[in-house]
């Protein structure tokens, strides 16, 4: 990397914490500053285009596969890069925040991949952001072992059987308010990517792997192109061969579902495939079309992956990936095993059924949220794959998906049940409490929930209110009940702040696109000092 310093430094706007100096080195901050300098304005322009697209679709413009890129889709010759070391077999991927306990458990879990999540599973307290980078650095250096104050030991097992690390930075829509460049907050995506890449890319290459990423919340090919250009510059600055980075894109917005091939094309030398989510995809659908009655969704528990429009989305994803030589990774099994054998058996049966559908549809792997689910996922995918590392050769040429298929929500459209309304309010309120306390992944009612759960819960309440299938008085009464119950169960919970956050993000006339920016700037940003 060039030693020429930036004339405008990245400034740290908060006092240093334990071991922060190992991550926030002058060279690392300079590297992040170079990325912000090169791509900050372009990222802002793309965020403005997101807002324009929302207005266009709200005013009745049709959503369809882009005509301008039809040649890309029709060209049979292009393929993505071949799988990188450690990413050939991805039949089970475990996800979770980059804290030390999760890191040890995930790396030892038997899963092929650990997706270390700075986005939905991490509340962006500054200590969580920098601490997550320290966790990854220690994990790459194989010095992550530790003992809790209660005496419980966490130790890495056989180093040859550890999961491959992939990192999910925060989305393009988020800022990191604790770092400033040129008078503005640094894009959070560039902070999470840049600090990990600066400290760990060469270390991972030396260990026989590479710097691998998951890219969240992309809405179109232009946002994928921005990431690709970030990758190119980052590799150039650190003298790492172009194409070393690999990234899997989460197709979790409705607009991205119409540009899957284009997204792979933009990232093709750095692509590691696509992933099909659930809650964020439904969240995006409501944000985009929630004003229309034919997109009125029932209780979220009733909107399964077998719904026709969800089947269209997942089958198109598999076909698109395999057509281009890319991995197709399935969605999350969020069940958390407990102490009740009967409940565990029922939960595992549900996981098995879901994973059987994915494996039979052609997915090459899938996500789990808990180490206890790794064996059943392995068993299911092993039954389909056998000794093969994936099934990319299964091209699914039988799949034909139209724009109407992706948007056929009316086939399951309907009002919520009273229990569905209460559940959404309860989940959102409880998740907000944990998030404001700095916890981004939370076990609620036997499921590991993250920010995507809270997002779908609160936007469904907004949609139901908009279409008057529930009334505001009922919602406020249920909110009162849940806030009181929360305060009784967790006396530490800032119930007034939680209630206000719910009202701002679920009960406003105009739907806030995300709850996280509002909650972050109001509650999690610290400014206790500044340093260059």
């Amino acid at each position: 990397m060039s030693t020429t310093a930036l004339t405008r430094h990245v400034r740290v706007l908060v006092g240093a914490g334990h071991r922060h100096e190992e991550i926030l080195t002058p060279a690392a901050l300079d590297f992040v500053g170079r990325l912000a300098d090169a791509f900050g304005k372009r990222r802002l322009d793309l965020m403005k285009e997101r807002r324009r697209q929302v207005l266009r679709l709200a005013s009745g413009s049709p959503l369809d596969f882009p005509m301008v890129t039809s040649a890309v889709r029709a060209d049979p010759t292009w393929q993505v890069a071949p799988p990188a070391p450690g990413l050939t077999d991805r039949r089970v991927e475990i996800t979770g925040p980059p804290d030390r306990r999760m890191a040890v458990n995930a790396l030892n879990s038997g899963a092929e991949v650990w997706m270390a999540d700075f986005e939905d599973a991490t509340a962006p307290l500054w200590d969580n952001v920098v601490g997550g980078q320290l966790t990854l650095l220690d994990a790459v250096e194989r010095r992550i072992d530790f003992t809790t104050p209660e005496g419980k030991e966490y130790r890495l097992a056989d180093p040859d059987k550890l999961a491959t690390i992939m990192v999910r930075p925060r989305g393009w829509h988020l800022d990191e308010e604790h770092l400033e460049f040129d008078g503005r907050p640094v894009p959070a995506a560039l902070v999470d990517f840049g600090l990990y890449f600066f400290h760990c890319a060469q270390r991972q290459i030396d260990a026989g792997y590479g710097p691998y990423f998951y890219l969240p919340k992309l809405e179109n090919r232009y946002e994928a192109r921005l990431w690709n250009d970030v990758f190119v510059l980052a590799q150039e600055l650190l003298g790492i061969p172009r194409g070393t980075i690999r990234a899997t894109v989460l197709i979790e917005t409705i607009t991205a579902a119409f540009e899957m091939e284009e997204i792979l094309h933009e990232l093709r030398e750095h692509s590691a495939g696509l992933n099909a989510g659930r809650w964020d995809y439904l969240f995006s659908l409501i944000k985009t079309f929630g004003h229309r009655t034919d997109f009125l969704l029932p209780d979220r528990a009733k909107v399964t992956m077998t719904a026709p429009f969800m089947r269209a989305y997942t089958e198109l994803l598999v076909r698109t990936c395999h057509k281009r030589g890319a991995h197709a990774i399935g969605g999350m099994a969020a069940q958390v095993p407990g102490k009740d054998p009967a409940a565990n058996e029922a939960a595992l049966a549900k996981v098995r059924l879901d994973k059987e559908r994915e494996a039979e549809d052609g997915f090459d792997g899938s996500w789990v949220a808990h180490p206890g689910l790794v064996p059943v996922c392995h068993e299911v995918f092993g039954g389909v794959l056998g000794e093969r590392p994936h099934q990319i050769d299964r091209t699914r040429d039988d799949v034909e998906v139209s724009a109407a298929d992706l948007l056929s929500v009316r086939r399951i459209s309907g009002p919520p049940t009273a229990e569905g309304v209460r559940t959404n309010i309860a989940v959102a309120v409880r998740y907000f409490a944990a998030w404001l306390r700095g916890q981004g992944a939370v076990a609620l009612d036997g499921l590991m929930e993250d920010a995507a759960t809270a997002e779908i819960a609160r936007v469904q309440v907004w949609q139901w209110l908009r279409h008057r299938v529930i009334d505001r008085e009922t919602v406020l009464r249920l909110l009162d009940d849940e806030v009181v119950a929360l305060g009784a169960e967790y006396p530490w919970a800032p119930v007034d702040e939680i209630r206000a956050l719910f009202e701002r993000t679920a009960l406003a006339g105009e739907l806030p696109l995300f709850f996280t920016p509002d909650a972050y700037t109001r509650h999690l940003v610290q400014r206790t000092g500044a340093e260059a």
Side-chain angles (χ1 to χ4, degrees):
M1 178 177 174
S2 170
T3 58
T4 304
L6 285 171
T7 57
R8 294 164 296 176
H9 294 286
V10 170
R11 299 176 66 231
V12 182
L13 303 179
V14 63
H18 177 60
R19 295 182 62 198
H20 283 200
E21 72 282 356
E22 296 179 43
I23 297 298
L24 304 174
T25 65
L29 292 173
D30 185 69
F31 178 74
V32 171
R34 289 174 182 274
L35 299 180
D37 190 42
F39 302 110
K41 182 181 183 304
R42 190 164 142 202
R43 172 254 185 177
L44 286 175
D45 290 342
L46 287 173
M47 294 304 96
K48 292 176 183 176
E49 177 56 30
R50 279 190 183 184
R51 292 189 285 273
R52 286 191 288 266
Q53 174 76 320
V54 167
L55 294 174
R56 284 194 294 268
L57 293 173
S59 66
S61 295
L63 182 59
D64 207 337
F65 300 99
M67 285 292 296
V68 70
T69 55
S70 57
V72 170
R73 298 193 300 276
D75 181 356
T77 62
W78 66 268
Q79 296 274 290
V80 305
L87 293 182
T88 301
D89 188 332
R90 300 172 60 185
R91 64 188 68 196
V92 184
E93 301 191 350
I94 189 168
T95 75
D99 62 56
R100 298 182 75 83
R101 182 170 66 177
M102 179 69 206
V104 175
N105 287 339
L107 291 170
N108 287 343
S109 67
E112 280 68 30
V113 169
W114 170 39
M115 194 274 281
D117 187 12
F118 282 94
E119 198 218 15
D120 281 351
T122 297
L125 287 170
W126 185 231
D127 280 346
N128 287 350
V129 172
V130 183
Q133 295 289 343
L134 284 164
T135 294
L136 291 170
L137 178 59
D138 288 348
V140 170
E141 293 281 358
R142 302 295 188 252
R143 60 186 187 203
I144 195 70
D145 299 352
F146 73 104
T147 303
T148 68
E150 296 76 28
K152 186 172 182 179
E153 295 185 349
Y154 289 83
R155 301 285 182 264
L156 289 181
D158 185 342
D160 295 326
K161 296 182 180 179
L162 300 181
T164 299
I165 296 174
M166 300 184 77
V167 174
R168 176 159 71 165
R170 283 168 285 177
W172 282 129
H173 61 291
L174 296 170
D175 289 321
E176 178 46 72
E177 298 275 357
H178 300 100
L179 294 180
E180 180 182 88
F181 177 78
D182 198 21
R184 299 185 62 93
V186 179
L190 297 182
V191 174
D192 299 338
F193 164 81
L195 292 176
Y196 175 72
F197 189 81
F198 182 85
H199 289 292
C200 295
Q202 190 59 55
R203 286 178 165 93
Q204 287 285 55
I205 294 166
D206 293 344
Y209 299 98
Y212 306 143
F213 299 91
Y214 259 97
L215 305 180
K217 307 277 192 299
L218 269 64
E219 298 206 357
N220 54 57
R221 61 192 181 278
Y222 302 110
E223 295 179 17
R225 183 180 303 169
L226 175 57
W227 266 120
N228 197 72
D229 290 346
V230 169
F231 295 162
V232 170
L233 179 59
Q235 290 166 132
E236 178 185 324
L237 288 174
L238 295 191
I240 289 173
R242 180 165 169 163
T244 301
I245 292 173
R246 290 289 194 278
T248 300
V249 173
L250 294 114
I251 301 299
E252 53 188 353
T253 64
I254 184 62
T255 52
F258 284 83
E259 298 191 27
M260 293 187 201
E261 284 197 76
E262 292 86 343
I263 287 169
L264 286 177
H265 188 263
E266 293 293 346
L267 285 160
R268 57 193 180 279
E269 65 180 329
H270 298 115
S271 178
L274 304 176
N275 172 281
R278 181 184 179 191
W279 294 139
D280 267 313
Y281 190 74
L282 295 174
F283 166 46
S284 169
L285 196 75
I286 294 173
K287 285 194 300 181
T288 307
F289 295 111
H291 58 287
R292 289 172 47 175
T293 56
D294 53 336
F295 282 84
L296 180 64
L297 289 173
D299 297 359
R300 62 190 178 98
K302 295 181 179 179
V303 188
T304 68
M305 298 301 283
T306 61
F309 73 99
M310 296 298 282
R311 290 285 290 161
Y313 150 63
T314 55
E315 292 201 312
L316 178 62
L317 188 145
V318 172
R319 182 183 189 278
T320 300
C321 286
H322 290 183
K323 176 182 177 183
R324 302 305 179 181
H327 281 79
I329 306 300
M332 173 72 79
Q335 286 79 2
V336 177
K339 297 180 180 180
D340 183 343
N344 285 344
E345 185 177 347
L348 288 176
K350 185 177 292 187
V351 171
R352 182 181 298 277
L353 188 64
D354 188 51
K355 299 313 172 190
E356 286 174 348
R357 173 191 54 77
E358 289 180 331
E360 291 165 2
D361 282 351
F363 281 96
D364 303 292
S366 190
W367 278 10
V368 299
H370 191 280
L373 304 183
V374 171
V376 68
C377 195
H378 260 146
E379 182 183 343
V380 169
F381 273 88
V384 171
L385 296 177
E387 297 300 315
R388 296 176 299 158
H390 52 69
Q391 51 183 333
I392 293 174
D393 58 339
R394 189 179 169 207
T395 55
R396 292 304 311 270
D397 295 331
D398 57 304
V399 171
E400 293 291 338
V401 174
S402 67
D405 294 330
L406 290 172
L407 298 172
S408 61
V409 178
R410 66 186 181 279
R411 295 173 65 181
I412 66 160
S413 181
T417 65
E419 184 59 29
V421 177
R422 179 180 288 279
T423 297
N424 274 9
I425 295 172
V427 166
V429 163
R430 279 160 173 71
Y431 185 81
F432 288 167
W435 196 90
L436 292 176
R437 205 182 190 200
Q439 185 180 0
V442 189
L444 297 173
D445 299 325
L447 298 174
M448 187 62 70
E449 308 286 23
D450 63 13
T453 312
E455 293 288 26
I456 182 64
R458 60 111 186 163
V459 299
Q460 278 205 297
V461 172
W462 176 88
Q463 185 188 39
W464 295 332
L465 282 170
R466 179 183 174 90
H467 293 292
R468 298 193 174 103
V469 295
I470 57 175
D471 60 80
R472 188 180 180 89
E473 290 71 25
T474 298
V475 171
L476 290 173
R477 176 175 52 78
L478 293 172
L479 179 59
D480 283 339
D481 292 345
E482 294 303 328
V483 167
V484 169
L486 178 70
E489 187 175 358
Y490 302 113
W492 49 262
V495 291
D496 291 341
E497 294 176 14
I498 292 164
R499 182 191 176 94
L501 176 59
F502 186 89
E503 291 182 347
R504 290 195 306 271
T505 59
L507 306 186
E510 183 176 346
L511 179 67
L513 296 183
F514 297 93
F515 87 81
T516 42
D518 173 278
Y520 175 56
T521 55
R522 288 174 184 263
H523 303 293
L524 299 190
V525 175
Q526 301 167 269
R527 283 193 174 89
T528 59
E531 58 188 66

